[in-house]
Short mmCIF file of all heavy atoms in Angstrom, two decimals:
data_model
loop_
_atom_site.label_atom_id
_atom_site.label_comp_id
_atom_site.label_asym_id
_atom_site.label_seq_id
_atom_site.Cartn_x
_atom_site.Cartn_y
_atom_site.Cartn_z
N PHE A 421 -10.32 -18.52 -19.38
CA PHE A 421 -11.08 -18.96 -20.54
C PHE A 421 -12.48 -18.36 -20.50
O PHE A 421 -12.96 -17.77 -21.47
CB PHE A 421 -11.15 -20.48 -20.56
CG PHE A 421 -11.91 -21.06 -21.73
CD1 PHE A 421 -11.24 -21.51 -22.85
CD2 PHE A 421 -13.30 -21.16 -21.71
CE1 PHE A 421 -11.93 -22.04 -23.93
CE2 PHE A 421 -14.00 -21.68 -22.77
CZ PHE A 421 -13.31 -22.12 -23.88
N ARG A 422 -13.15 -18.53 -19.38
CA ARG A 422 -14.52 -18.04 -19.23
C ARG A 422 -14.63 -16.55 -19.54
O ARG A 422 -15.46 -16.13 -20.36
CB ARG A 422 -14.99 -18.30 -17.79
CG ARG A 422 -16.38 -17.80 -17.45
CD ARG A 422 -16.56 -17.75 -15.94
NE ARG A 422 -15.66 -16.76 -15.35
CZ ARG A 422 -15.27 -16.78 -14.07
NH1 ARG A 422 -15.70 -17.73 -13.25
NH2 ARG A 422 -14.46 -15.84 -13.61
N ASP A 423 -13.77 -15.76 -18.92
CA ASP A 423 -13.87 -14.31 -19.07
C ASP A 423 -13.43 -13.87 -20.47
O ASP A 423 -14.03 -12.94 -21.04
CB ASP A 423 -13.02 -13.62 -18.01
CG ASP A 423 -13.52 -13.89 -16.60
OD1 ASP A 423 -14.67 -14.36 -16.46
OD2 ASP A 423 -12.76 -13.65 -15.65
N GLY A 424 -12.40 -14.52 -21.01
CA GLY A 424 -11.92 -14.14 -22.33
C GLY A 424 -12.92 -14.44 -23.42
O GLY A 424 -13.15 -13.62 -24.33
N VAL A 425 -13.55 -15.60 -23.35
CA VAL A 425 -14.53 -15.98 -24.36
C VAL A 425 -15.77 -15.11 -24.26
O VAL A 425 -16.31 -14.64 -25.27
CB VAL A 425 -14.89 -17.47 -24.23
CG1 VAL A 425 -16.04 -17.84 -25.16
CG2 VAL A 425 -13.67 -18.34 -24.53
N ARG A 426 -16.23 -14.85 -23.06
CA ARG A 426 -17.39 -13.96 -22.89
C ARG A 426 -17.08 -12.56 -23.44
O ARG A 426 -17.92 -11.94 -24.11
CB ARG A 426 -17.77 -13.85 -21.41
CG ARG A 426 -18.44 -15.08 -20.83
CD ARG A 426 -18.89 -14.78 -19.41
NE ARG A 426 -19.55 -15.91 -18.78
CZ ARG A 426 -20.24 -15.83 -17.65
NH1 ARG A 426 -20.36 -14.67 -17.03
NH2 ARG A 426 -20.81 -16.89 -17.14
N ARG A 427 -15.91 -12.09 -23.16
CA ARG A 427 -15.55 -10.74 -23.61
C ARG A 427 -15.53 -10.68 -25.13
O ARG A 427 -16.10 -9.76 -25.72
CB ARG A 427 -14.20 -10.34 -23.04
CG ARG A 427 -13.73 -8.98 -23.52
CD ARG A 427 -12.40 -8.57 -22.90
NE ARG A 427 -11.93 -7.32 -23.46
CZ ARG A 427 -10.79 -6.73 -23.11
NH1 ARG A 427 -10.01 -7.28 -22.19
NH2 ARG A 427 -10.42 -5.59 -23.67
N PHE A 428 -14.87 -11.65 -25.77
CA PHE A 428 -14.71 -11.59 -27.22
C PHE A 428 -16.06 -11.64 -27.94
O PHE A 428 -16.32 -10.87 -28.87
CB PHE A 428 -13.82 -12.73 -27.70
CG PHE A 428 -13.46 -12.66 -29.16
CD1 PHE A 428 -12.36 -11.92 -29.59
CD2 PHE A 428 -14.22 -13.32 -30.12
CE1 PHE A 428 -12.03 -11.85 -30.93
CE2 PHE A 428 -13.90 -13.26 -31.47
CZ PHE A 428 -12.80 -12.51 -31.88
N TRP A 429 -16.93 -12.57 -27.53
CA TRP A 429 -18.18 -12.79 -28.26
C TRP A 429 -19.34 -11.93 -27.77
O TRP A 429 -20.32 -11.77 -28.50
CB TRP A 429 -18.58 -14.25 -28.20
CG TRP A 429 -17.70 -15.16 -29.01
CD1 TRP A 429 -16.93 -16.19 -28.56
CD2 TRP A 429 -17.50 -15.11 -30.44
NE1 TRP A 429 -16.26 -16.79 -29.59
CE2 TRP A 429 -16.59 -16.16 -30.76
CE3 TRP A 429 -17.99 -14.30 -31.47
CZ2 TRP A 429 -16.17 -16.40 -32.07
CZ3 TRP A 429 -17.56 -14.54 -32.77
CH2 TRP A 429 -16.67 -15.58 -33.07
N LEU A 430 -19.26 -11.40 -26.54
CA LEU A 430 -20.41 -10.69 -25.99
C LEU A 430 -20.12 -9.22 -25.68
O LEU A 430 -20.63 -8.33 -26.36
CB LEU A 430 -20.92 -11.42 -24.75
CG LEU A 430 -21.44 -12.84 -25.01
CD1 LEU A 430 -21.86 -13.50 -23.72
CD2 LEU A 430 -22.59 -12.82 -26.01
N SER A 431 -19.31 -8.94 -24.67
CA SER A 431 -19.11 -7.54 -24.31
C SER A 431 -18.37 -6.77 -25.40
O SER A 431 -18.66 -5.59 -25.64
CB SER A 431 -18.38 -7.42 -22.97
OG SER A 431 -17.18 -8.16 -22.97
N ASP A 432 -17.43 -7.42 -26.10
CA ASP A 432 -16.78 -6.77 -27.24
C ASP A 432 -17.79 -6.48 -28.35
O ASP A 432 -17.77 -5.42 -28.98
CB ASP A 432 -15.67 -7.65 -27.81
CG ASP A 432 -14.35 -7.49 -27.07
OD1 ASP A 432 -14.32 -6.73 -26.08
OD2 ASP A 432 -13.37 -8.13 -27.47
N ARG A 433 -18.65 -7.46 -28.59
CA ARG A 433 -19.65 -7.26 -29.64
C ARG A 433 -20.57 -6.10 -29.30
O ARG A 433 -20.93 -5.30 -30.17
CB ARG A 433 -20.46 -8.54 -29.83
CG ARG A 433 -21.51 -8.42 -30.94
CD ARG A 433 -22.17 -9.75 -31.24
NE ARG A 433 -23.21 -9.61 -32.26
CZ ARG A 433 -23.92 -10.62 -32.72
NH1 ARG A 433 -23.72 -11.84 -32.26
NH2 ARG A 433 -24.85 -10.41 -33.65
N ALA A 434 -20.95 -5.99 -28.03
CA ALA A 434 -21.79 -4.87 -27.62
C ALA A 434 -21.07 -3.55 -27.86
O ALA A 434 -21.67 -2.57 -28.32
CB ALA A 434 -22.17 -5.01 -26.15
N ALA A 435 -19.77 -3.51 -27.55
CA ALA A 435 -19.00 -2.29 -27.75
C ALA A 435 -18.89 -1.94 -29.23
O ALA A 435 -19.03 -0.77 -29.62
CB ALA A 435 -17.60 -2.46 -27.15
N ILE A 436 -18.66 -2.94 -30.08
CA ILE A 436 -18.54 -2.71 -31.52
C ILE A 436 -19.86 -2.21 -32.10
O ILE A 436 -19.90 -1.28 -32.91
CB ILE A 436 -18.07 -3.99 -32.23
CG1 ILE A 436 -16.63 -4.32 -31.83
CG2 ILE A 436 -18.18 -3.86 -33.75
CD1 ILE A 436 -16.15 -5.69 -32.30
N GLU A 437 -20.97 -2.83 -31.68
CA GLU A 437 -22.28 -2.40 -32.17
C GLU A 437 -22.61 -0.98 -31.73
O GLU A 437 -23.40 -0.29 -32.40
CB GLU A 437 -23.36 -3.37 -31.68
CG GLU A 437 -23.28 -4.74 -32.34
CD GLU A 437 -24.24 -5.74 -31.72
OE1 GLU A 437 -24.86 -5.41 -30.68
OE2 GLU A 437 -24.38 -6.84 -32.26
N ALA A 438 -22.00 -0.54 -30.63
CA ALA A 438 -22.23 0.83 -30.14
C ALA A 438 -21.26 1.82 -30.76
O ALA A 438 -21.25 3.00 -30.38
CB ALA A 438 -22.11 0.85 -28.62
N GLY A 439 -20.44 1.36 -31.72
CA GLY A 439 -19.50 2.24 -32.40
C GLY A 439 -18.10 2.24 -31.81
O GLY A 439 -17.24 3.01 -32.25
N GLY A 440 -17.84 1.39 -30.84
CA GLY A 440 -16.52 1.32 -30.22
C GLY A 440 -15.67 0.22 -30.82
O GLY A 440 -15.85 -0.18 -31.98
N HIS A 441 -14.71 -0.28 -30.02
CA HIS A 441 -13.77 -1.29 -30.49
C HIS A 441 -13.77 -2.49 -29.55
O HIS A 441 -14.09 -2.38 -28.37
CB HIS A 441 -12.35 -0.72 -30.57
CG HIS A 441 -12.23 0.44 -31.51
ND1 HIS A 441 -12.16 0.30 -32.86
CD2 HIS A 441 -12.17 1.78 -31.26
CE1 HIS A 441 -12.06 1.48 -33.44
NE2 HIS A 441 -12.06 2.40 -32.48
N GLY A 442 -13.39 -3.62 -30.11
CA GLY A 442 -13.24 -4.82 -29.31
C GLY A 442 -11.79 -5.06 -28.96
O GLY A 442 -10.91 -4.25 -29.28
N SER A 443 -11.53 -6.18 -28.31
CA SER A 443 -10.17 -6.52 -27.91
C SER A 443 -9.47 -7.28 -29.04
O SER A 443 -10.13 -7.83 -29.93
CB SER A 443 -10.20 -7.38 -26.65
OG SER A 443 -11.00 -8.53 -26.87
N PRO A 444 -8.14 -7.33 -29.05
CA PRO A 444 -7.41 -8.10 -30.06
C PRO A 444 -7.79 -9.57 -30.00
O PRO A 444 -8.25 -10.09 -28.97
CB PRO A 444 -5.95 -7.88 -29.69
CG PRO A 444 -5.93 -6.64 -28.88
CD PRO A 444 -7.24 -6.63 -28.14
N VAL A 445 -7.56 -10.27 -31.10
CA VAL A 445 -7.96 -11.67 -31.20
C VAL A 445 -7.09 -12.58 -30.33
O VAL A 445 -7.44 -13.74 -30.10
CB VAL A 445 -7.90 -12.12 -32.68
CG1 VAL A 445 -6.46 -12.33 -33.13
CG2 VAL A 445 -8.73 -13.36 -32.92
N ALA A 446 -5.99 -12.06 -29.82
CA ALA A 446 -5.10 -12.86 -28.98
C ALA A 446 -5.82 -13.42 -27.76
O ALA A 446 -5.51 -14.52 -27.29
CB ALA A 446 -3.89 -12.04 -28.55
N LEU A 447 -6.76 -12.67 -27.24
CA LEU A 447 -7.51 -13.11 -26.06
C LEU A 447 -8.26 -14.40 -26.34
O LEU A 447 -8.22 -15.35 -25.55
CB LEU A 447 -8.48 -12.02 -25.63
CG LEU A 447 -9.15 -12.15 -24.27
CD1 LEU A 447 -8.12 -11.99 -23.16
CD2 LEU A 447 -10.25 -11.09 -24.12
N LEU A 448 -8.93 -14.46 -27.48
CA LEU A 448 -9.67 -15.66 -27.83
C LEU A 448 -8.71 -16.78 -28.23
O LEU A 448 -8.96 -17.96 -27.92
CB LEU A 448 -10.63 -15.38 -28.97
CG LEU A 448 -11.56 -16.56 -29.29
CD1 LEU A 448 -12.60 -16.71 -28.19
CD2 LEU A 448 -12.24 -16.37 -30.64
N ALA A 449 -7.62 -16.44 -28.88
CA ALA A 449 -6.66 -17.46 -29.30
C ALA A 449 -6.08 -18.19 -28.10
O ALA A 449 -5.87 -19.42 -28.15
CB ALA A 449 -5.54 -16.81 -30.12
N ASP A 450 -5.84 -17.47 -27.02
CA ASP A 450 -5.32 -18.12 -25.81
C ASP A 450 -6.32 -19.14 -25.29
O ASP A 450 -5.94 -20.24 -24.86
CB ASP A 450 -5.03 -17.07 -24.74
CG ASP A 450 -4.46 -17.68 -23.47
OD1 ASP A 450 -3.33 -18.19 -23.52
OD2 ASP A 450 -5.16 -17.68 -22.44
N ALA A 451 -7.61 -18.79 -25.34
CA ALA A 451 -8.64 -19.72 -24.90
C ALA A 451 -8.71 -20.93 -25.82
O ALA A 451 -8.77 -22.08 -25.36
CB ALA A 451 -9.99 -19.02 -24.85
N LEU A 452 -8.70 -20.71 -27.12
CA LEU A 452 -8.77 -21.81 -28.08
C LEU A 452 -7.64 -22.80 -27.91
O LEU A 452 -7.80 -24.01 -28.11
CB LEU A 452 -8.75 -21.26 -29.51
CG LEU A 452 -10.03 -20.60 -30.04
CD1 LEU A 452 -9.75 -19.88 -31.35
CD2 LEU A 452 -11.13 -21.64 -30.23
N SER A 453 -6.48 -22.32 -27.50
CA SER A 453 -5.29 -23.17 -27.40
C SER A 453 -5.11 -23.78 -26.02
O SER A 453 -4.09 -24.43 -25.75
CB SER A 453 -4.04 -22.37 -27.77
OG SER A 453 -3.84 -21.30 -26.86
N GLY A 454 -6.09 -23.59 -25.11
CA GLY A 454 -6.01 -24.22 -23.81
C GLY A 454 -5.14 -23.51 -22.79
O GLY A 454 -4.69 -24.12 -21.82
#
Side-chain angles (χ1 to χ4, degrees):
F421 180 98
R422 178 197 65 202
D423 296 345
V425 173
R426 287 186 180 193
R427 177 178 175 181
F428 187 86
W429 289 119
L430 297 177
S431 54
D432 276 3
R433 181 172 178 179
I436 292 170
E437 290 173 351
H441 299 282
S443 56
V445 76
L447 192 68
L448 187 72
D450 182 67
L452 285 169
S453 63

